[in-house]
Amino acid sequence: RGTVTAFAPFDARADAEALRKAMKGLGTDEETVLNILTTRNNAQRQEIASAFKTLFGRDLVDDLKSELTGKFETLMVSLMRPAYIFDAHALKHAIKGAGTNEKVLTEILASRTPAEVQNIKQVYLQEYEASLEDKITGETSGHFQRLLVVLLQANRDPDVGVDEALVEQDAQVLFRAGELKWGTDEEKFITILGTRSVSHLRRVFDKYMTISGFQIEETIDRETSGDLEKLLLAVVKCIRSVPAYFAETLYYSMKGAGTDDDTLIRVMVSRSEIDLLDIRREFRKNFAKSLYQMIQKDTSGDYRKALLLLCGGDDD
C-alpha cells in the first residue's frame, strides 16, 4: 500500500549518469535529482548509489550533501538511507547528544511490528556496536522508560483468536488501575498495552468503554501525563490503526504556525513503500482535506515538489 514502488524500466547506470550530470559544474539541476530519487524505490536507490560509485568514484550521498541545502537536502539524503537502517538511524539521532527526542522514540517504537522492532535492534547493534536497549535506558527514566523497554522486547502476543474471558479480565484490571483508583497503577497499563495481541486489545478497548463509559484514551489522558501519556496514547492509536496514527502525526506536523519538518520527512520517507496510500485515505477522512493539499500549502520549492511526488496524488 505504498505510493513508491519499483520503477520500470529501471537502469541504475543511466540514473547515476543523469544525477552526476545534474550536480556537476556550476549550479544544480534539482528537478532531475528529485524526479529520480522520489520515483525509484529504496532498493533501486541503493543500486543507483553503487553504480554512481563504480562510474565516477564518488559517493552519491556526499555529492547530494554538498550540492543541496536545507530541508530539500535532508529529504533527499533520507531517501538514500537503506530502508533497514532508516529507523535505527533515526533512533540513534534521537538519543545522542544533549537532550533526548522522546517524540521519535515514541513514534517508532509504538508503531512498528514486533518483527520490525527485532530487526531495528539487530541493525542498531551491527551499525553502532551498541545495544539500543542500553542506550534508551541510559537516556530515559520512570514509567516512560519501562514501557519503551517492554516495547523493545517485541514480545507482543501473536494474533491467534481472542479469549473473551481474558478480554473482560484485562478491561477490569485497567478500570481498577485507573478510574477506580486514587492515583494510577501505571504498571498495569504498561504490561497490558505492551504485551497483548492487537486483536485482543481492540476487544479490550471496546469492553473498557462498556464497563467504564470512557474511551481508554480519555482515561490515559486523565490518569497519566508527560512522555508516558504520549507513549501510551501512541500505542493505543497504533493498536486501533497504524495508518490513522500516522495521518494524525502528519497533520500535527503541519498544523498551525511553523512546520515540524523532521517529523514530516521521517514519516513520508519511512511509510512511502509501506502504507502511505492508507495514510492518505485516513488523512482525508479525519481532517476534511487531503494530505496533498496540506503539503502544498505548508511547504515550498523543490522540497514541496519532492514531498508531493512521494505523496503520489491528491484525494479530493
Side-chain angles (χ1 to χ4, degrees), residues 21-30 67:
K21 190 173 157 216
M23 293 189 285
K24 209 166 83 177
L26 224 62
T28 304
D29 170 7
E30 285 90 356
E67 293 295 326

Side-chain angles (χ1 to χ4, degrees), residues 21-63:
K21 190 173 157 216
M23 293 189 285
K24 209 166 83 177
L26 224 62
T28 304
D29 170 7
E30 285 90 356
E31 196 91 15
T32 298
V33 175
L34 70 89
N35 276 322
I36 292 176
L37 297 186
T38 58
T39 54
R40 310 306 188 255
N41 69 10
N42 196 282
Q44 291 175 328
R45 289 180 215 128
Q46 304 316 317
E47 283 184 55
I48 294 169
S50 125
F52 196 88
K53 192 160 266 180
T54 304
L55 291 169
F56 309 111
R58 304 172 68 90
D59 185 293
L60 177 54
V61 171
D62 289 348
D63 276 12

Side-chain angles (χ1 to χ4, degrees), residues 240-245 247-248 251 277-293 315-316:
R240 289 195 190 275
S241 162
V242 169
Y245 169 71
E248 185 181 310
Y251 178 73
L277 289 170
D278 298 327
I279 293 168
R280 269 171 42 186
R281 195 181 61 224
E282 291 293 333
F283 196 99
R284 184 73 192 81
K285 192 174 87 189
N286 297 329
F287 302 111
K289 62 178 79 163
S290 69
L291 175 58
Y292 192 90
Q293 286 164 350
D315 299 296
D316 247 22

Side-chain angles (χ1 to χ4, degrees), residues 16 19 22 40-41 55 63 85 99 116 120 125 149 161 198 202 217 234 246 268 296 305:
L19 286 168
R40 310 306 188 255
N41 69 10
L55 291 169
D63 276 12
I85 291 181
E116 286 167 340
I120 292 167
L125 191 57
V149 170
V198 170
R202 285 178 184 159
E217 291 91 334
F246 280 117
M268 291 297 288
Q296 206 161 27
K305 283 182 199 162

Side-chain angles (χ1 to χ4, degrees), residues 16 20 27 39-40 45 62 66 72 77 119 133 135 172 192 247 260 273:
R20 176 73 184 123
T39 54
R40 310 306 188 255
R45 289 180 215 128
D62 289 348
S66 72
F72 180 55
V77 170
N119 178 40
E133 190 179 320
K135 289 289 181 195
Q172 293 285 358
I192 292 174
D260 175 356
E273 291 181 44

Side-chain angles (χ1 to χ4, degrees), residues 17 19 28 120 125 139 145 216 261:
E17 282 165 356
L19 286 168
T28 304
I120 292 167
L125 191 57
E139 295 292 332
Q145 178 202 72
I216 188 83
D261 293 292

